[in-house]
Structure formats: C-alpha cells, structure tokens
Amino acid sequence: MSARLVLLGPPGAGKGTQAVRLAERLGVPAISTGDIFRSNIKNGTELGRRVQDITASGALVPDELTNELVRDRLAQADAVDGFLLDGYPRNVAQVAALDEMLAAAGQAIDLALELTVDPQVVVERLTKRAEIEGRADDTEDVIRHRLDVYAEQTAPISQVYAARGVLAQVDGLGEVDEVTERLVAALAPVLS
Ligand code: AMP
C-alpha cells in the first residue's frame, strides 16, 4: 500500500487522534509537524528554541523552517512508500513546497482528507483539551488566534486540492470510531 495523504481541518477537529488511528490501519507513518515542534521544544533543541515563542502565540512557524523539516522527515525510510501528514501543509505556499518535494520523486498527494466541524464545537474541544493536556497554545486568546490563522491561511488549501479532484470531506462530528470509519470509507477509491 502506498498512499500519500494529508489530513486537513481546523484546530480541534480531531486530526491528531484520527491521524494516528488511520496511519496505523494503513501501515504508514502519521507525521505531525505540531508534534515534531512540541517534542523539540520539550527537549530544548535548537529548533525548539527557535519555534517556542511562535507556536505559543498561535502563529505559523516560517515556511522555510517547516518545509525543510518535512523534507527531511519524508526522506526517512518509513515514509518512502506512503505517509499521512497532519498539520502540514498549512498554507498555499506549503502546498507548493510539498508538491515540489514529491514531484522530484515522480510522486503526488493521492488524497486530502478534510475533517469538517462546527466552529463552536471546535472551541469547546480546544478548551477541554487545555484542561486535560495543558498545551501552551490552548489558552482562550491563542485559540482564537489559531482559528483566525486557520481561516485566513489554511482553509484556502482545501480548494487547491478540490480543484485537482483529490479532496474528500468527512464529517468530523461523532464518536471517534465512527469518524475513523468515515475516513476509511473516503479512502476506498485511493486504496483499490
Ligand atoms: P498543531 O499541533 O498542528 O495545531 O500545531 C501547533 C503549532 O505548531 C501551530 O499553531 C504552529 O505554530 C506550528 N505548526 C504546526 N504545523 C505547522 C506548519 N505546517 N506550518 C507552520 N507552523 C506549524
């Protein structure tokens, strides 16, 4: 199985949870740029120090840094036959950067799966997650900023994939298992 996938959707849509579950089913790595940044911050690496304040504010890390990180990650052996990207690409320029990385190897994104959720539900979920996980960027002001950044910079990329005929929108509301099954069903045309 060699599926190259991206998972789209606003902060709080359940991307992280679903990415891990889906990737496990498909036997491809789930690659979350947010997780990579968080683990670098936690471990006090050079990269972590560079992105700490940016991620805590809810702004996007500069494309150059993010694109290089993804390029390195996709070059690792486990991603050669497929991957599921979570949280990347995050703007139209990153879509182009990803296209270039893949085109160099004669590859392309097979499907962009977009989790759709009501904005009100998203805010509730993020507030709850703040209590449970204590993420630095889950405070009310930062949540609002991240949603604005999503609306302005990230939401438009759905149209880019839609125009190529590789966008599948999936209802992100409901039980975790239920949403996973919807995602798996949306993948059927790619996997057959
Ligand atoms: P996430 O866990 O995907 O919500 O990402 C947490 C934070 O990491 C974001 O608010 C950004 O500051 C940063 N980040 C994650 N992915 C990207 C990306 N593709 N481009 C720029 N910044 C990113």
Side-chain angles (χ1 to χ4, degrees), residues 24-58:
E24 208 163 273
R25 284 265 195 117
L26 301 173
V28 298
I31 300 174
S32 156
T33 43
D35 279 351
I36 296 172
F37 290 138
R38 277 184 291 278
S39 85
N40 275 273
I41 292 167
K42 197 169 148 210
N43 295 325
T45 67
E46 167 69 27
L47 174 67
R49 277 193 293 278
R50 286 173 72 179
V51 303
Q52 188 156 15
D53 291 349
I54 304 172
T55 58
S57 77

mmCIF file of all heavy atoms in Angstrom, residues 24-58:
data_model
loop_
_atom_site.group_PDB
_atom_site.id
_atom_site.type_symbol
_atom_site.label_atom_id
_atom_site.label_comp_id
_atom_site.label_asym_id
_atom_site.label_seq_id
_atom_site.Cartn_x
_atom_site.Cartn_y
_atom_site.Cartn_z
ATOM 1 N N GLU A 24 -2.177 3.865 11.431
ATOM 2 C CA GLU A 24 -1.984 2.509 11.930
ATOM 3 C C GLU A 24 -2.701 1.503 11.026
ATOM 4 O O GLU A 24 -2.148 0.487 10.641
ATOM 5 C CB GLU A 24 -2.564 2.424 13.341
ATOM 6 C CG GLU A 24 -1.895 1.383 14.201
ATOM 7 C CD GLU A 24 -2.219 1.638 15.660
ATOM 8 O OE1 GLU A 24 -1.503 2.419 16.310
ATOM 9 O OE2 GLU A 24 -3.219 1.059 16.125
ATOM 10 N N ARG A 25 -3.919 1.840 10.663
ATOM 11 C CA ARG A 25 -4.696 0.975 9.762
ATOM 12 C C ARG A 25 -3.998 0.772 8.423
ATOM 13 O O ARG A 25 -4.029 -0.301 7.843
ATOM 14 C CB ARG A 25 -6.044 1.631 9.437
ATOM 15 C CG ARG A 25 -7.036 1.572 10.507
ATOM 16 C CD ARG A 25 -7.961 0.374 10.305
ATOM 17 N NE ARG A 25 -9.099 0.586 11.165
ATOM 18 C CZ ARG A 25 -10.334 0.746 10.738
ATOM 19 N NH1 ARG A 25 -10.615 0.633 9.463
ATOM 20 N NH2 ARG A 25 -11.307 0.973 11.574
ATOM 21 N N LEU A 26 -3.400 1.863 7.943
ATOM 22 C CA LEU A 26 -2.842 1.834 6.594
ATOM 23 C C LEU A 26 -1.393 1.353 6.574
ATOM 24 O O LEU A 26 -0.842 1.079 5.516
ATOM 25 C CB LEU A 26 -2.912 3.233 5.964
ATOM 26 C CG LEU A 26 -4.307 3.855 5.853
ATOM 27 C CD1 LEU A 26 -4.213 5.295 5.367
ATOM 28 C CD2 LEU A 26 -5.184 3.043 4.925
ATOM 29 N N GLY A 27 -0.776 1.335 7.745
ATOM 30 C CA GLY A 27 0.631 0.932 7.801
ATOM 31 C C GLY A 27 1.574 1.991 7.254
ATOM 32 O O GLY A 27 2.605 1.681 6.664
ATOM 33 N N VAL A 28 1.191 3.245 7.415
ATOM 34 C CA VAL A 28 2.069 4.354 7.013
ATOM 35 C C VAL A 28 2.317 5.224 8.250
ATOM 36 O O VAL A 28 1.517 5.198 9.186
ATOM 37 C CB VAL A 28 1.444 5.217 5.877
ATOM 38 C CG1 VAL A 28 1.237 4.391 4.616
ATOM 39 C CG2 VAL A 28 0.140 5.883 6.327
ATOM 40 N N PRO A 29 3.409 5.997 8.273
ATOM 41 C CA PRO A 29 3.632 6.858 9.439
ATOM 42 C C PRO A 29 2.697 8.070 9.432
ATOM 43 O O PRO A 29 2.420 8.637 8.376
ATOM 44 C CB PRO A 29 5.090 7.304 9.283
ATOM 45 C CG PRO A 29 5.383 7.181 7.823
ATOM 46 C CD PRO A 29 4.522 6.069 7.302
ATOM 47 N N ALA A 30 2.208 8.431 10.622
ATOM 48 C CA ALA A 30 1.487 9.702 10.801
ATOM 49 C C ALA A 30 2.546 10.734 11.130
ATOM 50 O O ALA A 30 3.310 10.562 12.076
ATOM 51 C CB ALA A 30 0.490 9.589 11.949
ATOM 52 N N ILE A 31 2.603 11.773 10.339
ATOM 53 C CA ILE A 31 3.631 12.798 10.550
ATOM 54 C C ILE A 31 2.951 14.114 10.912
ATOM 55 O O ILE A 31 2.249 14.707 10.092
ATOM 56 C CB ILE A 31 4.502 12.965 9.282
ATOM 57 C CG1 ILE A 31 5.181 11.629 8.955
ATOM 58 C CG2 ILE A 31 5.531 14.086 9.477
ATOM 59 C CD1 ILE A 31 5.947 11.614 7.641
ATOM 60 N N SER A 32 3.122 14.525 12.162
ATOM 61 C CA SER A 32 2.505 15.754 12.646
ATOM 62 C C SER A 32 3.587 16.800 12.875
ATOM 63 O O SER A 32 4.461 16.622 13.737
ATOM 64 C CB SER A 32 1.766 15.468 13.963
ATOM 65 O OG SER A 32 1.629 16.647 14.728
ATOM 66 N N THR A 33 3.544 17.874 12.103
ATOM 67 C CA THR A 33 4.541 18.931 12.293
ATOM 68 C C THR A 33 4.399 19.551 13.685
ATOM 69 O O THR A 33 5.400 19.866 14.335
ATOM 70 C CB THR A 33 4.416 20.007 11.191
ATOM 71 O OG1 THR A 33 3.033 20.296 10.971
ATOM 72 C CG2 THR A 33 5.058 19.559 9.913
ATOM 73 N N GLY A 34 3.161 19.692 14.163
ATOM 74 C CA GLY A 34 2.941 20.242 15.507
ATOM 75 C C GLY A 34 3.623 19.373 16.568
ATOM 76 O O GLY A 34 4.277 19.882 17.480
ATOM 77 N N ASP A 35 3.490 18.033 16.438
ATOM 78 C CA ASP A 35 4.134 17.120 17.395
ATOM 79 C C ASP A 35 5.654 17.240 17.324
ATOM 80 O O ASP A 35 6.337 17.193 18.348
ATOM 81 C CB ASP A 35 3.746 15.662 17.110
ATOM 82 C CG ASP A 35 2.380 15.312 17.679
ATOM 83 O OD1 ASP A 35 1.812 16.135 18.425
ATOM 84 O OD2 ASP A 35 1.881 14.210 17.354
ATOM 85 N N ILE A 36 6.172 17.371 16.114
ATOM 86 C CA ILE A 36 7.633 17.479 15.961
ATOM 87 C C ILE A 36 8.127 18.762 16.636
ATOM 88 O O ILE A 36 9.117 18.753 17.369
ATOM 89 C CB ILE A 36 8.053 17.437 14.470
ATOM 90 C CG1 ILE A 36 7.687 16.080 13.859
ATOM 91 C CG2 ILE A 36 9.556 17.713 14.316
ATOM 92 C CD1 ILE A 36 7.867 15.974 12.350
ATOM 93 N N PHE A 37 7.381 19.858 16.422
ATOM 94 C CA PHE A 37 7.776 21.111 17.091
ATOM 95 C C PHE A 37 7.687 20.947 18.609
ATOM 96 O O PHE A 37 8.602 21.333 19.330
ATOM 97 C CB PHE A 37 6.893 22.283 16.632
ATOM 98 C CG PHE A 37 7.137 22.715 15.210
ATOM 99 C CD1 PHE A 37 6.070 23.026 14.365
ATOM 100 C CD2 PHE A 37 8.431 22.842 14.718
ATOM 101 C CE1 PHE A 37 6.301 23.435 13.057
ATOM 102 C CE2 PHE A 37 8.661 23.246 13.402
ATOM 103 C CZ PHE A 37 7.587 23.541 12.569
ATOM 104 N N ARG A 38 6.590 20.371 19.086
ATOM 105 C CA ARG A 38 6.421 20.221 20.547
ATOM 106 C C ARG A 38 7.522 19.366 21.158
ATOM 107 O O ARG A 38 8.042 19.677 22.227
ATOM 108 C CB ARG A 38 5.034 19.645 20.886
ATOM 109 C CG ARG A 38 3.939 20.717 20.931
ATOM 110 C CD ARG A 38 2.606 20.143 21.368
ATOM 111 N NE ARG A 38 2.025 19.258 20.376
ATOM 112 C CZ ARG A 38 1.326 19.679 19.313
ATOM 113 N NH1 ARG A 38 1.099 20.949 19.121
ATOM 114 N NH2 ARG A 38 0.835 18.815 18.448
ATOM 115 N N SER A 39 7.900 18.285 20.483
ATOM 116 C CA SER A 39 8.927 17.434 21.098
ATOM 117 C C SER A 39 10.285 18.145 21.070
ATOM 118 O O SER A 39 11.087 17.994 22.001
ATOM 119 C CB SER A 39 8.972 16.042 20.458
ATOM 120 O OG SER A 39 9.762 16.048 19.322
ATOM 121 N N ASN A 40 10.533 18.957 20.047
ATOM 122 C CA ASN A 40 11.784 19.739 20.035
ATOM 123 C C ASN A 40 11.807 20.784 21.143
ATOM 124 O O ASN A 40 12.844 21.031 21.744
ATOM 125 C CB ASN A 40 11.995 20.399 18.666
ATOM 126 C CG ASN A 40 12.665 19.456 17.685
ATOM 127 O OD1 ASN A 40 13.877 19.367 17.626
ATOM 128 N ND2 ASN A 40 11.863 18.709 16.941
ATOM 129 N N ILE A 41 10.645 21.389 21.385
ATOM 130 C CA ILE A 41 10.569 22.385 22.467
ATOM 131 C C ILE A 41 10.818 21.698 23.807
ATOM 132 O O ILE A 41 11.605 22.154 24.627
ATOM 133 C CB ILE A 41 9.187 23.090 22.448
ATOM 134 C CG1 ILE A 41 9.050 23.954 21.186
ATOM 135 C CG2 ILE A 41 8.985 23.932 23.710
ATOM 136 C CD1 ILE A 41 7.650 24.440 20.896
ATOM 137 N N LYS A 42 10.181 20.546 23.988
ATOM 138 C CA LYS A 42 10.308 19.804 25.236
ATOM 139 C C LYS A 42 11.763 19.398 25.490
ATOM 140 O O LYS A 42 12.257 19.456 26.617
ATOM 141 C CB LYS A 42 9.408 18.556 25.148
ATOM 142 C CG LYS A 42 9.118 17.934 26.475
ATOM 143 C CD LYS A 42 8.025 16.895 26.339
ATOM 144 C CE LYS A 42 8.227 15.786 27.341
ATOM 145 N NZ LYS A 42 7.715 14.515 26.863
ATOM 146 N N ASN A 43 12.438 19.006 24.411
ATOM 147 C CA ASN A 43 13.819 18.534 24.563
ATOM 148 C C ASN A 43 14.848 19.655 24.499
ATOM 149 O O ASN A 43 16.052 19.405 24.542
ATOM 150 C CB ASN A 43 14.136 17.479 23.486
ATOM 151 C CG ASN A 43 13.288 16.235 23.670
ATOM 152 O OD1 ASN A 43 12.999 15.857 24.799
ATOM 153 N ND2 ASN A 43 12.864 15.608 22.572
ATOM 154 N N GLY A 44 14.359 20.891 24.340
ATOM 155 C CA GLY A 44 15.264 22.037 24.354
ATOM 156 C C GLY A 44 16.268 22.063 23.212
ATOM 157 O O GLY A 44 17.389 22.541 23.371
ATOM 158 N N THR A 45 15.872 21.555 22.044
ATOM 159 C CA THR A 45 16.790 21.574 20.897
ATOM 160 C C THR A 45 16.862 22.989 20.313
ATOM 161 O O THR A 45 16.045 23.851 20.628
ATOM 162 C CB THR A 45 16.303 20.623 19.774
ATOM 163 O OG1 THR A 45 15.081 21.165 19.241
ATOM 164 C CG2 THR A 45 16.062 19.206 20.279
ATOM 165 N N GLU A 46 17.807 23.151 19.405
ATOM 166 C CA GLU A 46 17.966 24.429 18.699
ATOM 167 C C GLU A 46 16.656 24.786 17.971
ATOM 168 O O GLU A 46 16.153 25.913 18.078
ATOM 169 C CB GLU A 46 19.133 24.278 17.700
ATOM 170 C CG GLU A 46 19.269 25.363 16.662
ATOM 171 C CD GLU A 46 19.710 26.692 17.262
ATOM 172 O OE1 GLU A 46 20.370 26.649 18.316
ATOM 173 O OE2 GLU A 46 19.384 27.751 16.675
ATOM 174 N N LEU A 47 16.103 23.810 17.262
ATOM 175 C CA LEU A 47 14.826 24.043 16.564
ATOM 176 C C LEU A 47 13.741 24.430 17.567
ATOM 177 O O LEU A 47 12.969 25.365 17.333
ATOM 178 C CB LEU A 47 14.402 22.781 15.786
ATOM 179 C CG LEU A 47 13.014 22.825 15.135
ATOM 180 C CD1 LEU A 47 12.968 23.845 13.997
ATOM 181 C CD2 LEU A 47 12.601 21.446 14.600
ATOM 182 N N GLY A 48 13.699 23.727 18.680
ATOM 183 C CA GLY A 48 12.710 24.002 19.717
ATOM 184 C C GLY A 48 12.802 25.442 20.208
ATOM 185 O O GLY A 48 11.781 26.116 20.372
ATOM 186 N N ARG A 49 14.032 25.884 20.418
ATOM 187 C CA ARG A 49 14.204 27.267 20.892
ATOM 188 C C ARG A 49 13.724 28.265 19.847
ATOM 189 O O ARG A 49 13.149 29.296 20.170
ATOM 190 C CB ARG A 49 15.679 27.526 21.237
ATOM 191 C CG ARG A 49 16.050 27.048 22.645
ATOM 192 C CD ARG A 49 17.399 27.581 23.083
ATOM 193 N NE ARG A 49 18.498 27.015 22.296
ATOM 194 C CZ ARG A 49 19.052 25.819 22.537
ATOM 195 N NH1 ARG A 49 18.623 25.080 23.534
ATOM 196 N NH2 ARG A 49 20.030 25.366 21.791
ATOM 197 N N ARG A 50 13.943 27.932 18.578
ATOM 198 C CA ARG A 50 13.548 28.869 17.512
ATOM 199 C C ARG A 50 12.032 28.978 17.365
ATOM 200 O O ARG A 50 11.521 30.019 16.969
ATOM 201 C CB ARG A 50 14.164 28.434 16.179
ATOM 202 C CG ARG A 50 15.648 28.722 16.135
ATOM 203 C CD ARG A 50 16.294 28.160 14.903
ATOM 204 N NE ARG A 50 15.956 28.858 13.681
ATOM 205 C CZ ARG A 50 16.438 28.537 12.490
ATOM 206 N NH1 ARG A 50 17.265 27.521 12.369
ATOM 207 N NH2 ARG A 50 16.099 29.214 11.419
ATOM 208 N N VAL A 51 11.312 27.886 17.647
ATOM 209 C CA VAL A 51 9.869 27.899 17.367
ATOM 210 C C VAL A 51 8.998 28.086 18.611
ATOM 211 O O VAL A 51 7.789 28.268 18.494
ATOM 212 C CB VAL A 51 9.413 26.619 16.614
ATOM 213 C CG1 VAL A 51 10.204 26.458 15.313
ATOM 214 C CG2 VAL A 51 9.519 25.375 17.470
ATOM 215 N N GLN A 52 9.625 28.057 19.778
ATOM 216 C CA GLN A 52 8.862 28.085 21.037
ATOM 217 C C GLN A 52 7.861 29.252 21.118
ATOM 218 O O GLN A 52 6.673 29.053 21.344
ATOM 219 C CB GLN A 52 9.841 28.172 22.199
ATOM 220 C CG GLN A 52 9.170 28.014 23.545
ATOM 221 C CD GLN A 52 10.148 27.520 24.596
ATOM 222 O OE1 GLN A 52 11.369 27.556 24.397
ATOM 223 N NE2 GLN A 52 9.623 27.057 25.700
ATOM 224 N N ASP A 53 8.377 30.472 20.931
ATOM 225 C CA ASP A 53 7.508 31.643 21.086
ATOM 226 C C ASP A 53 6.460 31.712 19.975
ATOM 227 O O ASP A 53 5.331 32.151 20.201
ATOM 228 C CB ASP A 53 8.338 32.937 21.088
ATOM 229 C CG ASP A 53 9.189 33.037 22.352
ATOM 230 O OD1 ASP A 53 8.964 32.232 23.279
ATOM 231 O OD2 ASP A 53 10.078 33.903 22.397
ATOM 232 N N ILE A 54 6.855 31.296 18.794
ATOM 233 C CA ILE A 54 5.924 31.351 17.652
ATOM 234 C C ILE A 54 4.745 30.409 17.896
ATOM 235 O O ILE A 54 3.581 30.805 17.775
ATOM 236 C CB ILE A 54 6.632 30.954 16.332
ATOM 237 C CG1 ILE A 54 7.851 31.844 16.082
ATOM 238 C CG2 ILE A 54 5.655 31.001 15.160
ATOM 239 C CD1 ILE A 54 8.714 31.406 14.914
ATOM 240 N N THR A 55 5.039 29.161 18.254
ATOM 241 C CA THR A 55 3.939 28.198 18.448
ATOM 242 C C THR A 55 3.071 28.610 19.643
ATOM 243 O O THR A 55 1.857 28.460 19.600
ATOM 244 C CB THR A 55 4.447 26.757 18.652
ATOM 245 O OG1 THR A 55 5.327 26.725 19.769
ATOM 246 C CG2 THR A 55 5.166 26.236 17.431
ATOM 247 N N ALA A 56 3.689 29.168 20.678
ATOM 248 C CA ALA A 56 2.918 29.580 21.854
ATOM 249 C C ALA A 56 1.966 30.727 21.535
ATOM 250 O O ALA A 56 0.952 30.903 22.200
ATOM 251 C CB ALA A 56 3.848 29.977 22.996
ATOM 252 N N SER A 57 2.271 31.489 20.473
ATOM 253 C CA SER A 57 1.409 32.620 20.114
ATOM 254 C C SER A 57 0.292 32.203 19.167
ATOM 255 O O SER A 57 -0.643 32.961 18.920
ATOM 256 C CB SER A 57 2.243 33.718 19.444
ATOM 257 O OG SER A 57 2.525 33.352 18.100
ATOM 258 N N GLY A 58 0.407 31.011 18.596
ATOM 259 C CA GLY A 58 -0.608 30.539 17.663
ATOM 260 C C GLY A 58 -0.335 30.932 16.222
ATOM 261 O O GLY A 58 -1.109 30.618 15.327
#
